[in-house]
Amino acid sequence: MPSVPKKCNGCSLFRRQGFFCSALCSEELAKLAGHSRTKTLKRGQFVNPKDSGLWPIIGIADGIIGVRRIQADGRGTIAAFFLSGDIVDLRGAPKAMYTGLCALSDTDVCHLSPGVFDEILGANPDARKIAWGSLQLQTFRLVEHSAELAKRQAVEKIAWFISEFRALHRIDGGNANSVSFRMPFRQIDLADYLGMQPETVSRALRILRARGIIRPGPRSVIEILDPEALDQIALSGDVPPAPLPEEQEFRVLQAI
Amino acid sequence: MPSVPKKCNGCSLFRRQGFFCSALCSEELAKLAGHSRTKTLKRGQFVNPKDSGLWPIIGIADGIIGVRRIQADGRGTIAAFFLSGDIVDLRGAPKAMYTGLCALSDTDVCHLSPGVFDEILGANPDARKIAWGSLQLQTFRLVEHSAELAKRQAVEKIAWFISEFRALHRIDGGNANSVSFRMPFRQIDLADYLGMQPETVSRALRILRARGIIRPGPRSVIEILDPEALDQIALSGDVPPAPLPEEQEFRVLQAI
DNA sequence: CGTTTGTTTGACGTTACTCAAATCTCGTGG
DNA sequence: CCACGAGATTTGAGTAACGTCAAACAAACG
């Protein structure tokens, strides 16, 4: 019985329960290891398997990959992102998608050979279930994202994102009760993701800060002081300055 | 060898090349027919398999299903839609998704038993490929949609939608060169889908009409008079009134 | 044929975008 | 370790675009 291949030893895709490679038997793992190629990307690097001649199925071990595209007006958009554990199958993807894959933070990926991947999917029901589930999850996230982009108010979008991303991070291994987390990418990327301007993101964050709902720490850490209020804004819309007593309103204005 | 089950005889999912049931052998088809339930929905009807006790895997034979949700401010949103041929697996879907499935036009669906579905996916590589491809396609569409919602201008959104949907319809069986097609759902739904107000949709359509790019026919038919101009606006942004000579500008204003 | 539902139009208000400039942060090299 | 510089964030003022409200009009449905 072969031992775990060296390259797979520390990889999250193998180590983490519920991630694709964790469901493989030794033979499958060995075979896939021989038909895969790990790669480390720095923030800002593009993936583009077509150009680099790498396999078009990508497992994300750690980090975040975004689907970035440049619009005619020069503005960037991030239509989606993929997280640790996601399997991204680029076969049949529209050109704009596989040319736009870009690391939003430093990221480890693993390119998989389609042949072996399909073979495993056919033979191993657990692996199939995981791959299917991953693709489903991507779909659900995209649905949420679309629903989100339709929201009107900037503050709502930001509140939703913080609330949502905290939950994703929790799954991602963080502490469930953690009320602070590290924003994984720049505000400018967040603006692209939420379809707004960087300036507007900044202003929205300032409003949440002024209301005492969040507090920014060092190194892009965001501390959530009032999760209920955050969810309230994210889910039920913003019901803000109107019903504030004089006193509080004054405080808010001061804070701004 | 069993013949084709009655219920499957006229169903697109079986009839159309590349749709799920067309890849099944007689035995599989018979078995699935015994573990499925077809249903016809009128526009506006919700699916909600949980409530109705139906199976949570849904094949769309004909028509359009949208993921509708109501926001806090009372406005509706359509985060995504599913078309003829799509397989929608609601196992593991967030609540907001399976409670929001709503027919945007009169639609025929088929609820499939998860057990048999999984069994077939394991045994039949062709069927597996089709199901996987369908899920992928949904993802790609959602990515496009998200990228779209980030666009700023109302006219761009509308132009993109018309352009994009014409292409989908082509796949859907329409004539490839057809420059006119029937808008599959109400403008109010289009507004929800594109994250804007019905009034704004109406105004944007008027602008495209005034510029001679589209012409509305009877029964929600849209005739595309100038596909290049449409794509130009959809892809490269709107570059409109500025460089118009006096004369033309006058004509446009008249038309409006 | 009447009722309901959807679309169009207008006037007005609000919000987020634009442009420009100051400030801050982080990575780099001395 | 500190200083520098490029890139990112913040702030402000003005504007354009979309949302809102209300009402007329058209289309679909029974």
Side-chain angles (χ1 to χ4, degrees), chain B residues 197-231:
Chain B
Q197 301 312 114
E199 293 94 328
T200 309
V201 171
S202 175
R203 285 187 248 262
L205 285 171
R206 183 177 58 170
I207 290 174
L208 291 176
R209 200 172 50 205
R211 293 212 205 131
I213 295 173
I214 62 170
R215 177 165 55 193
R219 297 187 51 72
S220 327
V221 166
I222 290 188
E223 201 174 331
I224 302 174
L225 303 174
D226 190 345
E228 288 84 19
L230 195 68
D231 288 348

PDB file of all heavy atoms in Angstrom, chain B residues 197-231:
ATOM      1  N   GLN B 197     -35.562  49.180 -11.467  1.00  0.00           N
ATOM      2  CA  GLN B 197     -37.002  49.399 -11.345  1.00  0.00           C
ATOM      3  C   GLN B 197     -37.674  49.162 -12.683  1.00  0.00           C
ATOM      4  O   GLN B 197     -37.071  49.416 -13.733  1.00  0.00           O
ATOM      5  CB  GLN B 197     -37.284  50.830 -10.917  1.00  0.00           C
ATOM      6  CG  GLN B 197     -36.673  51.224  -9.616  1.00  0.00           C
ATOM      7  CD  GLN B 197     -36.921  50.215  -8.541  1.00  0.00           C
ATOM      8  OE1 GLN B 197     -35.967  49.605  -8.083  1.00  0.00           O
ATOM      9  NE2 GLN B 197     -38.144  50.012  -8.144  1.00  0.00           N
ATOM     10  N   PRO B 198     -38.922  48.722 -12.663  1.00  0.00           N
ATOM     11  CA  PRO B 198     -39.687  48.558 -13.907  1.00  0.00           C
ATOM     12  C   PRO B 198     -39.675  49.831 -14.742  1.00  0.00           C
ATOM     13  O   PRO B 198     -39.538  49.781 -15.969  1.00  0.00           O
ATOM     14  CB  PRO B 198     -41.102  48.253 -13.410  1.00  0.00           C
ATOM     15  CG  PRO B 198     -40.957  47.786 -12.019  1.00  0.00           C
ATOM     16  CD  PRO B 198     -39.690  48.331 -11.474  1.00  0.00           C
ATOM     17  N   GLU B 199     -39.794  50.948 -14.096  1.00  0.00           N
ATOM     18  CA  GLU B 199     -39.793  52.219 -14.825  1.00  0.00           C
ATOM     19  C   GLU B 199     -38.493  52.404 -15.596  1.00  0.00           C
ATOM     20  O   GLU B 199     -38.482  52.868 -16.731  1.00  0.00           O
ATOM     21  CB  GLU B 199     -39.984  53.399 -13.868  1.00  0.00           C
ATOM     22  CG  GLU B 199     -41.346  53.462 -13.199  1.00  0.00           C
ATOM     23  CD  GLU B 199     -41.328  52.796 -11.846  1.00  0.00           C
ATOM     24  OE1 GLU B 199     -40.559  51.840 -11.691  1.00  0.00           O
ATOM     25  OE2 GLU B 199     -42.069  53.236 -10.951  1.00  0.00           O
ATOM     26  N   THR B 200     -37.408  52.043 -14.955  1.00  0.00           N
ATOM     27  CA  THR B 200     -36.110  52.223 -15.597  1.00  0.00           C
ATOM     28  C   THR B 200     -35.953  51.285 -16.784  1.00  0.00           C
ATOM     29  O   THR B 200     -35.394  51.657 -17.818  1.00  0.00           O
ATOM     30  CB  THR B 200     -34.984  51.972 -14.577  1.00  0.00           C
ATOM     31  OG1 THR B 200     -35.236  52.736 -13.414  1.00  0.00           O
ATOM     32  CG2 THR B 200     -33.650  52.366 -15.151  1.00  0.00           C
ATOM     33  N   VAL B 201     -36.474  50.067 -16.648  1.00  0.00           N
ATOM     34  CA  VAL B 201     -36.458  49.134 -17.774  1.00  0.00           C
ATOM     35  C   VAL B 201     -37.216  49.735 -18.944  1.00  0.00           C
ATOM     36  O   VAL B 201     -36.737  49.762 -20.076  1.00  0.00           O
ATOM     37  CB  VAL B 201     -37.099  47.790 -17.374  1.00  0.00           C
ATOM     38  CG1 VAL B 201     -37.292  46.908 -18.591  1.00  0.00           C
ATOM     39  CG2 VAL B 201     -36.244  47.082 -16.342  1.00  0.00           C
ATOM     40  N   SER B 202     -38.377  50.235 -18.640  1.00  0.00           N
ATOM     41  CA  SER B 202     -39.199  50.828 -19.689  1.00  0.00           C
ATOM     42  C   SER B 202     -38.455  51.960 -20.395  1.00  0.00           C
ATOM     43  O   SER B 202     -38.407  52.036 -21.613  1.00  0.00           O
ATOM     44  CB  SER B 202     -40.494  51.355 -19.064  1.00  0.00           C
ATOM     45  OG  SER B 202     -41.261  52.034 -20.022  1.00  0.00           O
ATOM     46  N   ARG B 203     -37.827  52.812 -19.597  1.00  0.00           N
ATOM     47  CA  ARG B 203     -37.104  53.942 -20.187  1.00  0.00           C
ATOM     48  C   ARG B 203     -35.921  53.483 -21.024  1.00  0.00           C
ATOM     49  O   ARG B 203     -35.653  54.014 -22.112  1.00  0.00           O
ATOM     50  CB  ARG B 203     -36.634  54.885 -19.076  1.00  0.00           C
ATOM     51  CG  ARG B 203     -37.758  55.718 -18.492  1.00  0.00           C
ATOM     52  CD  ARG B 203     -37.248  56.762 -17.509  1.00  0.00           C
ATOM     53  NE  ARG B 203     -37.669  56.473 -16.142  1.00  0.00           N
ATOM     54  CZ  ARG B 203     -38.722  57.044 -15.550  1.00  0.00           C
ATOM     55  NH1 ARG B 203     -39.453  57.904 -16.208  1.00  0.00           N
ATOM     56  NH2 ARG B 203     -39.045  56.744 -14.308  1.00  0.00           N
ATOM     57  N   ALA B 204     -35.218  52.473 -20.541  1.00  0.00           N
ATOM     58  CA  ALA B 204     -34.053  51.976 -21.289  1.00  0.00           C
ATOM     59  C   ALA B 204     -34.496  51.382 -22.622  1.00  0.00           C
ATOM     60  O   ALA B 204     -33.859  51.602 -23.655  1.00  0.00           O
ATOM     61  CB  ALA B 204     -33.304  50.941 -20.463  1.00  0.00           C
ATOM     62  N   LEU B 205     -35.586  50.645 -22.595  1.00  0.00           N
ATOM     63  CA  LEU B 205     -36.101  50.075 -23.838  1.00  0.00           C
ATOM     64  C   LEU B 205     -36.494  51.182 -24.802  1.00  0.00           C
ATOM     65  O   LEU B 205     -36.256  51.089 -26.007  1.00  0.00           O
ATOM     66  CB  LEU B 205     -37.306  49.174 -23.544  1.00  0.00           C
ATOM     67  CG  LEU B 205     -36.985  47.805 -22.936  1.00  0.00           C
ATOM     68  CD1 LEU B 205     -38.257  47.097 -22.494  1.00  0.00           C
ATOM     69  CD2 LEU B 205     -36.234  46.942 -23.932  1.00  0.00           C
ATOM     70  N   ARG B 206     -37.046  52.231 -24.250  1.00  0.00           N
ATOM     71  CA  ARG B 206     -37.449  53.337 -25.108  1.00  0.00           C
ATOM     72  C   ARG B 206     -36.239  53.944 -25.812  1.00  0.00           C
ATOM     73  O   ARG B 206     -36.273  54.293 -26.984  1.00  0.00           O
ATOM     74  CB  ARG B 206     -38.165  54.408 -24.287  1.00  0.00           C
ATOM     75  CG  ARG B 206     -38.667  55.536 -25.145  1.00  0.00           C
ATOM     76  CD  ARG B 206     -39.443  56.551 -24.343  1.00  0.00           C
ATOM     77  NE  ARG B 206     -38.636  57.110 -23.247  1.00  0.00           N
ATOM     78  CZ  ARG B 206     -39.024  58.147 -22.519  1.00  0.00           C
ATOM     79  NH1 ARG B 206     -40.193  58.699 -22.737  1.00  0.00           N
ATOM     80  NH2 ARG B 206     -38.271  58.600 -21.556  1.00  0.00           N
ATOM     81  N   ILE B 207     -35.145  54.045 -25.064  1.00  0.00           N
ATOM     82  CA  ILE B 207     -33.927  54.621 -25.653  1.00  0.00           C
ATOM     83  C   ILE B 207     -33.413  53.747 -26.791  1.00  0.00           C
ATOM     84  O   ILE B 207     -33.092  54.247 -27.876  1.00  0.00           O
ATOM     85  CB  ILE B 207     -32.852  54.793 -24.565  1.00  0.00           C
ATOM     86  CG1 ILE B 207     -33.265  55.917 -23.612  1.00  0.00           C
ATOM     87  CG2 ILE B 207     -31.501  55.092 -25.193  1.00  0.00           C
ATOM     88  CD1 ILE B 207     -32.355  56.087 -22.425  1.00  0.00           C
ATOM     89  N   LEU B 208     -33.383  52.430 -26.559  1.00  0.00           N
ATOM     90  CA  LEU B 208     -32.926  51.536 -27.620  1.00  0.00           C
ATOM     91  C   LEU B 208     -33.860  51.611 -28.830  1.00  0.00           C
ATOM     92  O   LEU B 208     -33.419  51.525 -29.980  1.00  0.00           O
ATOM     93  CB  LEU B 208     -32.852  50.096 -27.101  1.00  0.00           C
ATOM     94  CG  LEU B 208     -31.758  49.803 -26.071  1.00  0.00           C
ATOM     95  CD1 LEU B 208     -31.859  48.376 -25.569  1.00  0.00           C
ATOM     96  CD2 LEU B 208     -30.381  50.064 -26.664  1.00  0.00           C
ATOM     97  N   ARG B 209     -35.119  51.778 -28.551  1.00  0.00           N
ATOM     98  CA  ARG B 209     -36.091  51.877 -29.632  1.00  0.00           C
ATOM     99  C   ARG B 209     -35.865  53.177 -30.393  1.00  0.00           C
ATOM    100  O   ARG B 209     -35.838  53.204 -31.620  1.00  0.00           O
ATOM    101  CB  ARG B 209     -37.496  51.859 -29.031  1.00  0.00           C
ATOM    102  CG  ARG B 209     -38.585  51.488 -30.004  1.00  0.00           C
ATOM    103  CD  ARG B 209     -39.889  51.310 -29.254  1.00  0.00           C
ATOM    104  NE  ARG B 209     -40.171  52.450 -28.382  1.00  0.00           N
ATOM    105  CZ  ARG B 209     -40.924  52.400 -27.294  1.00  0.00           C
ATOM    106  NH1 ARG B 209     -41.456  51.256 -26.925  1.00  0.00           N
ATOM    107  NH2 ARG B 209     -41.139  53.476 -26.556  1.00  0.00           N
ATOM    108  N   ALA B 210     -35.660  54.232 -29.640  1.00  0.00           N
ATOM    109  CA  ALA B 210     -35.476  55.547 -30.264  1.00  0.00           C
ATOM    110  C   ALA B 210     -34.238  55.566 -31.144  1.00  0.00           C
ATOM    111  O   ALA B 210     -34.187  56.258 -32.155  1.00  0.00           O
ATOM    112  CB  ALA B 210     -35.373  56.617 -29.179  1.00  0.00           C
ATOM    113  N   ARG B 211     -33.234  54.793 -30.772  1.00  0.00           N
ATOM    114  CA  ARG B 211     -32.022  54.775 -31.584  1.00  0.00           C
ATOM    115  C   ARG B 211     -32.120  53.790 -32.743  1.00  0.00           C
ATOM    116  O   ARG B 211     -31.162  53.558 -33.448  1.00  0.00           O
ATOM    117  CB  ARG B 211     -30.820  54.372 -30.722  1.00  0.00           C
ATOM    118  CG  ARG B 211     -30.499  55.417 -29.681  1.00  0.00           C
ATOM    119  CD  ARG B 211     -29.023  55.442 -29.397  1.00  0.00           C
ATOM    120  NE  ARG B 211     -28.801  55.969 -28.066  1.00  0.00           N
ATOM    121  CZ  ARG B 211     -28.027  55.396 -27.166  1.00  0.00           C
ATOM    122  NH1 ARG B 211     -27.386  54.291 -27.469  1.00  0.00           N
ATOM    123  NH2 ARG B 211     -27.878  55.937 -25.984  1.00  0.00           N
ATOM    124  N   GLY B 212     -33.278  53.171 -32.869  1.00  0.00           N
ATOM    125  CA  GLY B 212     -33.466  52.273 -34.002  1.00  0.00           C
ATOM    126  C   GLY B 212     -32.753  50.949 -33.848  1.00  0.00           C
ATOM    127  O   GLY B 212     -32.451  50.277 -34.836  1.00  0.00           O
ATOM    128  N   ILE B 213     -32.460  50.546 -32.634  1.00  0.00           N
ATOM    129  CA  ILE B 213     -31.723  49.297 -32.419  1.00  0.00           C
ATOM    130  C   ILE B 213     -32.674  48.126 -32.243  1.00  0.00           C
ATOM    131  O   ILE B 213     -32.395  47.014 -32.689  1.00  0.00           O
ATOM    132  CB  ILE B 213     -30.785  49.446 -31.201  1.00  0.00           C
ATOM    133  CG1 ILE B 213     -29.722  50.498 -31.521  1.00  0.00           C
ATOM    134  CG2 ILE B 213     -30.128  48.116 -30.852  1.00  0.00           C
ATOM    135  CD1 ILE B 213     -28.843  50.854 -30.373  1.00  0.00           C
ATOM    136  N   ILE B 214     -33.761  48.343 -31.593  1.00  0.00           N
ATOM    137  CA  ILE B 214     -34.767  47.290 -31.463  1.00  0.00           C
ATOM    138  C   ILE B 214     -36.128  47.847 -31.866  1.00  0.00           C
ATOM    139  O   ILE B 214     -36.327  49.061 -31.944  1.00  0.00           O
ATOM    140  CB  ILE B 214     -34.866  46.742 -30.022  1.00  0.00           C
ATOM    141  CG1 ILE B 214     -35.284  47.865 -29.069  1.00  0.00           C
ATOM    142  CG2 ILE B 214     -33.557  46.109 -29.595  1.00  0.00           C
ATOM    143  CD1 ILE B 214     -35.633  47.376 -27.688  1.00  0.00           C
ATOM    144  N   ARG B 215     -37.047  46.915 -32.102  1.00  0.00           N
ATOM    145  CA  ARG B 215     -38.430  47.319 -32.356  1.00  0.00           C
ATOM    146  C   ARG B 215     -39.327  46.308 -31.674  1.00  0.00           C
ATOM    147  O   ARG B 215     -39.202  45.107 -31.920  1.00  0.00           O
ATOM    148  CB  ARG B 215     -38.710  47.359 -33.849  1.00  0.00           C
ATOM    149  CG  ARG B 215     -40.160  47.714 -34.163  1.00  0.00           C
ATOM    150  CD  ARG B 215     -40.328  48.104 -35.612  1.00  0.00           C
ATOM    151  NE  ARG B 215     -39.822  47.068 -36.517  1.00  0.00           N
ATOM    152  CZ  ARG B 215     -39.624  47.265 -37.813  1.00  0.00           C
ATOM    153  NH1 ARG B 215     -39.839  48.440 -38.345  1.00  0.00           N
ATOM    154  NH2 ARG B 215     -39.187  46.272 -38.563  1.00  0.00           N
ATOM    155  N   PRO B 216     -40.200  46.773 -30.832  1.00  0.00           N
ATOM    156  CA  PRO B 216     -41.101  45.847 -30.140  1.00  0.00           C
ATOM    157  C   PRO B 216     -42.249  45.443 -31.049  1.00  0.00           C
ATOM    158  O   PRO B 216     -42.853  46.295 -31.695  1.00  0.00           O
ATOM    159  CB  PRO B 216     -41.599  46.666 -28.948  1.00  0.00           C
ATOM    160  CG  PRO B 216     -41.457  48.089 -29.373  1.00  0.00           C
ATOM    161  CD  PRO B 216     -40.395  48.161 -30.424  1.00  0.00           C
ATOM    162  N   GLY B 217     -42.494  44.139 -31.109  1.00  0.00           N
ATOM    163  CA  GLY B 217     -43.615  43.638 -31.888  1.00  0.00           C
ATOM    164  C   GLY B 217     -44.766  43.293 -30.959  1.00  0.00           C
ATOM    165  O   GLY B 217     -44.732  43.618 -29.779  1.00  0.00           O
ATOM    166  N   PRO B 218     -45.761  42.608 -31.492  1.00  0.00           N
ATOM    167  CA  PRO B 218     -46.894  42.209 -30.655  1.00  0.00           C
ATOM    168  C   PRO B 218     -46.525  41.003 -29.784  1.00  0.00           C
ATOM    169  O   PRO B 218     -45.575  40.296 -30.097  1.00  0.00           O
ATOM    170  CB  PRO B 218     -47.950  41.816 -31.689  1.00  0.00           C
ATOM    171  CG  PRO B 218     -47.147  41.353 -32.869  1.00  0.00           C
ATOM    172  CD  PRO B 218     -45.863  42.124 -32.857  1.00  0.00           C
ATOM    173  N   ARG B 219     -47.254  40.818 -28.725  1.00  0.00           N
ATOM    174  CA  ARG B 219     -47.064  39.644 -27.858  1.00  0.00           C
ATOM    175  C   ARG B 219     -45.624  39.511 -27.385  1.00  0.00           C
ATOM    176  O   ARG B 219     -44.994  38.465 -27.524  1.00  0.00           O
ATOM    177  CB  ARG B 219     -47.483  38.356 -28.567  1.00  0.00           C
ATOM    178  CG  ARG B 219     -48.970  38.297 -28.927  1.00  0.00           C
ATOM    179  CD  ARG B 219     -49.376  36.934 -29.478  1.00  0.00           C
ATOM    180  NE  ARG B 219     -48.979  35.815 -28.653  1.00  0.00           N
ATOM    181  CZ  ARG B 219     -49.540  35.524 -27.484  1.00  0.00           C
ATOM    182  NH1 ARG B 219     -50.495  36.278 -27.009  1.00  0.00           N
ATOM    183  NH2 ARG B 219     -49.098  34.472 -26.806  1.00  0.00           N
ATOM    184  N   SER B 220     -45.065  40.596 -26.857  1.00  0.00           N
ATOM    185  CA  SER B 220     -43.734  40.583 -26.234  1.00  0.00           C
ATOM    186  C   SER B 220     -42.620  40.157 -27.174  1.00  0.00           C
ATOM    187  O   SER B 220     -41.564  39.717 -26.731  1.00  0.00           O
ATOM    188  CB  SER B 220     -43.692  39.665 -25.014  1.00  0.00           C
ATOM    189  OG  SER B 220     -44.904  39.638 -24.338  1.00  0.00           O
ATOM    190  N   VAL B 221     -42.857  40.262 -28.480  1.00  0.00           N
ATOM    191  CA  VAL B 221     -41.763  39.938 -29.394  1.00  0.00           C
ATOM    192  C   VAL B 221     -40.847  41.148 -29.534  1.00  0.00           C
ATOM    193  O   VAL B 221     -41.307  42.287 -29.623  1.00  0.00           O
ATOM    194  CB  VAL B 221     -42.305  39.530 -30.776  1.00  0.00           C
ATOM    195  CG1 VAL B 221     -41.182  39.521 -31.803  1.00  0.00           C
ATOM    196  CG2 VAL B 221     -42.963  38.162 -30.693  1.00  0.00           C
ATOM    197  N   ILE B 222     -39.563  40.889 -29.496  1.00  0.00           N
ATOM    198  CA  ILE B 222     -38.598  41.958 -29.709  1.00  0.00           C
ATOM    199  C   ILE B 222     -37.828  41.670 -30.984  1.00  0.00           C
ATOM    200  O   ILE B 222     -37.266  40.588 -31.154  1.00  0.00           O
ATOM    201  CB  ILE B 222     -37.623  42.077 -28.524  1.00  0.00           C
ATOM    202  CG1 ILE B 222     -38.366  42.619 -27.305  1.00  0.00           C
ATOM    203  CG2 ILE B 222     -36.461  42.998 -28.874  1.00  0.00           C
ATOM    204  CD1 ILE B 222     -37.461  42.943 -26.157  1.00  0.00           C
ATOM    205  N   GLU B 223     -37.833  42.646 -31.853  1.00  0.00           N
ATOM    206  CA  GLU B 223     -37.124  42.508 -33.105  1.00  0.00           C
ATOM    207  C   GLU B 223     -35.823  43.296 -32.985  1.00  0.00           C
ATOM    208  O   GLU B 223     -35.833  44.464 -32.600  1.00  0.00           O
ATOM    209  CB  GLU B 223     -37.994  43.087 -34.219  1.00  0.00           C
ATOM    210  CG  GLU B 223     -37.654  42.606 -35.601  1.00  0.00           C
ATOM    211  CD  GLU B 223     -38.665  43.137 -36.603  1.00  0.00           C
ATOM    212  OE1 GLU B 223     -39.831  43.357 -36.196  1.00  0.00           O
ATOM    213  OE2 GLU B 223     -38.293  43.336 -37.759  1.00  0.00           O
ATOM    214  N   ILE B 224     -34.726  42.633 -33.305  1.00  0.00           N
ATOM    215  CA  ILE B 224     -33.434  43.312 -33.186  1.00  0.00           C
ATOM    216  C   ILE B 224     -33.047  43.843 -34.562  1.00  0.00           C
ATOM    217  O   ILE B 224     -32.731  43.076 -35.476  1.00  0.00           O
ATOM    218  CB  ILE B 224     -32.360  42.354 -32.654  1.00  0.00           C
ATOM    219  CG1 ILE B 224     -32.789  41.798 -31.303  1.00  0.00           C
ATOM    220  CG2 ILE B 224     -31.026  43.076 -32.535  1.00  0.00           C
ATOM    221  CD1 ILE B 224     -31.881  40.737 -30.748  1.00  0.00           C
ATOM    222  N   LEU B 225     -33.063  45.137 -34.710  1.00  0.00           N
ATOM    223  CA  LEU B 225     -32.793  45.743 -36.002  1.00  0.00           C
ATOM    224  C   LEU B 225     -31.292  45.918 -36.230  1.00  0.00           C
ATOM    225  O   LEU B 225     -30.811  45.874 -37.348  1.00  0.00           O
ATOM    226  CB  LEU B 225     -33.495  47.103 -36.100  1.00  0.00           C
ATOM    227  CG  LEU B 225     -35.010  47.078 -35.891  1.00  0.00           C
ATOM    228  CD1 LEU B 225     -35.580  48.481 -35.862  1.00  0.00           C
ATOM    229  CD2 LEU B 225     -35.675  46.248 -36.982  1.00  0.00           C
ATOM    230  N   ASP B 226     -30.554  46.133 -35.169  1.00  0.00           N
ATOM    231  CA  ASP B 226     -29.134  46.432 -35.312  1.00  0.00           C
ATOM    232  C   ASP B 226     -28.317  45.666 -34.260  1.00  0.00           C
ATOM    233  O   ASP B 226     -27.911  46.221 -33.237  1.00  0.00           O
ATOM    234  CB  ASP B 226     -28.915  47.940 -35.159  1.00  0.00           C
ATOM    235  CG  ASP B 226     -27.507  48.343 -35.542  1.00  0.00           C
ATOM    236  OD1 ASP B 226     -26.642  47.464 -35.645  1.00  0.00           O
ATOM    237  OD2 ASP B 226     -27.279  49.551 -35.738  1.00  0.00           O
ATOM    238  N   PRO B 227     -28.069  44.372 -34.536  1.00  0.00           N
ATOM    239  CA  PRO B 227     -27.380  43.535 -33.554  1.00  0.00           C
ATOM    240  C   PRO B 227     -25.990  44.063 -33.188  1.00  0.00           C
ATOM    241  O   PRO B 227     -25.581  43.968 -32.024  1.00  0.00           O
ATOM    242  CB  PRO B 227     -27.252  42.179 -34.275  1.00  0.00           C
ATOM    243  CG  PRO B 227     -28.285  42.203 -35.339  1.00  0.00           C
ATOM    244  CD  PRO B 227     -28.421  43.631 -35.751  1.00  0.00           C
ATOM    245  N   GLU B 228     -25.301  44.629 -34.174  1.00  0.00           N
ATOM    246  CA  GLU B 228     -23.951  45.131 -33.882  1.00  0.00           C
ATOM    247  C   GLU B 228     -24.008  46.243 -32.846  1.00  0.00           C
ATOM    248  O   GLU B 228     -23.256  46.243 -31.872  1.00  0.00           O
ATOM    249  CB  GLU B 228     -23.255  45.647 -35.149  1.00  0.00           C
ATOM    250  CG  GLU B 228     -22.814  44.548 -36.109  1.00  0.00           C
ATOM    251  CD  GLU B 228     -23.949  44.126 -37.027  1.00  0.00           C
ATOM    252  OE1 GLU B 228     -24.919  44.906 -37.163  1.00  0.00           O
ATOM    253  OE2 GLU B 228     -23.890  43.018 -37.584  1.00  0.00           O
ATOM    254  N   ALA B 229     -24.907  47.170 -33.080  1.00  0.00           N
ATOM    255  CA  ALA B 229     -25.032  48.284 -32.139  1.00  0.00           C
ATOM    256  C   ALA B 229     -25.405  47.771 -30.752  1.00  0.00           C
ATOM    257  O   ALA B 229     -24.912  48.265 -29.735  1.00  0.00           O
ATOM    258  CB  ALA B 229     -26.079  49.276 -32.642  1.00  0.00           C
ATOM    259  N   LEU B 230     -26.259  46.756 -30.743  1.00  0.00           N
ATOM    260  CA  LEU B 230     -26.687  46.187 -29.466  1.00  0.00           C
ATOM    261  C   LEU B 230     -25.499  45.605 -28.717  1.00  0.00           C
ATOM    262  O   LEU B 230     -25.274  45.901 -27.534  1.00  0.00           O
ATOM    263  CB  LEU B 230     -27.731  45.099 -29.722  1.00  0.00           C
ATOM    264  CG  LEU B 230     -28.549  44.657 -28.505  1.00  0.00           C
ATOM    265  CD1 LEU B 230     -29.464  45.766 -28.045  1.00  0.00           C
ATOM    266  CD2 LEU B 230     -29.351  43.414 -28.818  1.00  0.00           C
ATOM    267  N   ASP B 231     -24.712  44.790 -29.409  1.00  0.00           N
ATOM    268  CA  ASP B 231     -23.540  44.189 -28.775  1.00  0.00           C
ATOM    269  C   ASP B 231     -22.541  45.261 -28.367  1.00  0.00           C
ATOM    270  O   ASP B 231     -21.898  45.165 -27.321  1.00  0.00           O
ATOM    271  CB  ASP B 231     -22.872  43.197 -29.733  1.00  0.00           C
ATOM    272  CG  ASP B 231     -23.703  41.937 -29.897  1.00  0.00           C
ATOM    273  OD1 ASP B 231     -24.640  41.753 -29.103  1.00  0.00           O
ATOM    274  OD2 ASP B 231     -23.425  41.165 -30.826  1.00  0.00           O
TER     275      ASP B 231
END
